Amino acid sequence: MKNWSDAKNFDAFTAYVNQGIQLLNEERSTRDSVLLPFSSMQVFAISKQVDKLYTSFEIPKKSGAMRQIDAPVFHLKLMQRAIKAMLETALEESPAAHGFVRGRSIHTNAAEHVGQDWVLNLDVVGFFPAIHKGRLQVLLKRDPVEYSPELARFISTICTKDGVLPQGSPASPLLTNLVCLRLDKMLGIVAAQFGAKYTRYADDITFSGTSKAMLCRLLAVVKKVLNSEGFKVHPTKTRILPASQRQEVTGLSVHEFVNVPRVYRRRVRAALHQWEKVGIEETFKKHGYSSARTFVNSLRGQLGFLEQTSKSAERDFSSEYQRFVVKYDYLCRLS
C-alpha cells in the first residue's frame, strides 16, 4: 500500500510496519540476519501493552542531574525503527534541523555559526516529555505526512509511553523534528528579520549574529514563539557569547573553524597517558567509571567523536587523532 491515507485496520497497520522492516533489511549487510515481518496478531498485542514494554533507568547529565531513559524491549524497538524508516520516506526535514537527519550532525550544525561575532545558545526544558500523544496524532494526519486517522493513532500509540515521547525510543528524535517543522519555520523567519542565523539540534537552539543587543531583542521574541508551540526556554542554560570568549555550538568550538574544544582533547590525552603509566584499574576508578570495560568503551566513543570532527574541520587534525588511536590500540592489546 502506497497511499497510507487509506489505512483503516490492523492489517493495513501491519503492512505499513512490514514495509518499514523491508526498508531496514535493504540497509543491512548481507552478513546480517534478515529481520522478520510482524503478524497482525503481534502488532495488535504490542499496541495493547506498549507502556509495559520499556526498561527505564537514569543516566547523569553534565549538570549532575539525572536523565530518565526509557528503552523499549526488542520487538517494540524493532517496530519503532520500522516506523522511523517509513517516516523518513515521507518527511522532508527542515533546513534548520541538524539532529537525527541523514547527512547532518553536530558538525554541520556548528559550521553554520563559524566566525560570528556573537553566538546565542539556549535549551528547551523537558523537550521530549513536552510532546504529547495527541499532538503527534494530529500532526501525522497533516501535510507533509498525511496518514489516515487510524494509522496516525496507531503510530502515536506505538511511539509514546504514558502519553508522551520517551527518551530512548529510536523513533522519538525523528518525531521531534516532525513536531518542530512549524517551530523551525517560525524561528527561521524571526532570525531573518533580525539578520541572524538559526539552527536546531534536538532541543539545542542556536542563533548567531553581529550584535549582542540584537540577540537580546531576538531572544525575547524567541521565548514567545517557543511558548506558543508548547515549549519553554531553560532559565539557566541561555548563553550569549562574544568572539573574544570560547564560543561553542553543540559542544564544538566555532571561532575560525569547527573544532573539538581543547579541554576535550586534553581529557582524552590525559586518560590515555594515565592508562599507560599506572594501568587500567587505577585509571577507570579515578575517572569515575564502574568498570574497565565501561572506561574502554567510553574512550573509544570519544575517539570516534574526534575522528568525525577532524574530517569535517577546516584544518587537518588527523595526525593528533591518529596518535590517540595508535596509543589506544596499543594499550588495548596490553590490557
Side-chain angles (χ1 to χ4, degrees):
M1 180 184 293
K2 294 183 179 181
N3 185 4
W4 299 107
S5 62
D6 295 331
K8 299 294 184 183
N9 52 40
F10 266 95
D11 288 335
F13 302 154
T14 304
Y16 175 86
V17 170
N18 286 336
Q19 187 168 325
I21 295 292
Q22 182 178 342
L23 292 174
L24 293 176
N25 278 324
E26 290 172 359
E27 294 184 351
R28 291 167 71 83
S29 166
T30 55
R31 293 174 295 180
D32 296 329
S33 58
V34 175
L35 299 173
L36 299 178
F38 287 89
S39 68
S40 293
M41 186 175 295
Q42 286 176 308
V43 173
F44 180 80
I46 289 173
S47 69
K48 292 302 180 183
Q49 53 178 341
V50 170
D51 291 346
K52 300 177 181 178
L53 300 179
Y54 287 88
T55 300
S56 299
F57 55 92
E58 293 184 332
I59 60 173
K61 300 180 182 179
K62 289 182 180 180
S63 63
M66 302 303 291
R67 184 193 310 278
Q68 180 169 318
I69 301 296
D70 297 300
V73 301
F74 176 78
H75 285 96
L76 176 59
K77 183 177 181 179
L78 179 57
M79 190 176 293
Q80 291 170 345
R81 287 179 58 208
I83 290 171
K84 174 178 177 287
M86 291 296 288
L87 285 170
E88 285 177 335
T89 67
L91 180 61
E92 184 175 347
E93 299 284 2
S94 160
H98 289 259
F100 321 109
V101 179
R102 290 178 187 269
R104 304 182 203 171
S105 65
I106 60 172
H107 307 88
T108 61
N109 184 60
E112 293 291 323
H113 304 281
V114 167
Q116 293 293 304
D117 294 331
W118 292 86
V119 171
L120 163 63
N121 290 311
L122 57 92
D123 289 358
V124 175
V125 178
F127 185 56
F128 284 87
I131 299 174
H132 294 262
K133 178 180 177 179
R135 186 175 184 180
L136 285 178
Q137 192 169 327
V138 169
L139 290 173
L140 287 166
K141 293 184 289 184
R142 294 178 178 173
D143 181 66
V145 181
E146 296 183 333
Y147 287 159
S148 69
E150 292 83 1
L151 184 57
R153 183 171 62 250
F154 167 74
I155 292 173
S156 60
T157 296
I158 292 296
C159 294
T160 56
K161 178 181 184 293
D162 298 324
V164 299
L165 271 186
Q167 194 158 351
S169 162
S172 289
L174 182 69
L175 289 169
T176 63
N177 283 344
L178 171 64
V179 170
C180 290
L181 277 175
R182 185 169 65 178
L183 174 67
D184 286 338
K185 184 176 182 180
M186 294 168 69
L187 291 183
I189 292 172
V190 171
Q193 290 173 341
F194 280 84
K197 291 187 175 183
Y198 161 66
T199 63
R200 180 182 59 82
Y201 190 97
D203 59 344
D204 289 332
I205 293 174
T206 304
F207 295 89
S208 61
T210 58
S211 164
K212 180 179 180 180
M214 176 271 287
L215 289 178
C216 288
R217 294 194 302 272
L218 179 147
L219 178 59
V221 179
V222 167
K223 288 180 178 179
K224 293 179 181 179
V225 173
L226 284 167
N227 288 339
S228 72
E229 291 295 298
F231 299 114
K232 289 181 62 178
V233 173
H234 199 296
T236 63
K237 293 186 177 182
T238 300
R239 304 164 298 281
I240 302 180
L241 299 172
S244 59
Q245 296 182 20
R246 188 177 67 190
Q247 292 176 331
E248 291 184 9
V249 175
T250 46
L252 298 174
S253 173
V254 293
H255 281 282
E256 298 178 5
F257 49 87
V258 179
N259 187 22
V260 176
R262 291 178 182 176
V263 64
Y264 188 98
R265 303 201 303 274
R266 285 199 297 266
R267 189 163 58 242
V268 173
R269 187 184 301 112
L272 289 168
H273 176 75
Q274 188 172 23
W275 183 2
E276 183 179 32
K277 293 299 181 182
V278 302
I280 196 168
E281 291 294 326
E282 185 174 334
T283 303
F284 85 74
K285 292 176 182 177
K286 182 174 181 178
H287 286 263
Y289 291 92
S290 59
S291 67
R293 175 179 293 182
T294 304
F295 167 73
V296 170
N297 289 341
S298 175
L299 198 53
R300 183 189 300 121
Q302 293 172 52
L303 289 172
F305 180 65
L306 285 174
E307 179 187 25
Q308 293 177 25
T309 305
S310 69
K311 289 179 179 179
S312 63
E314 293 181 21
R315 292 186 182 178
D316 184 11
F317 297 103
S318 60
S319 59
E320 181 180 37
Y321 164 73
Q322 287 299 330
R323 289 196 299 271
F324 288 161
V325 169
V326 168
K327 181 173 284 191
Y328 174 84
D329 290 342
Y330 169 73
L331 293 171
C332 282
R333 288 194 298 270
L334 290 181
S335 300

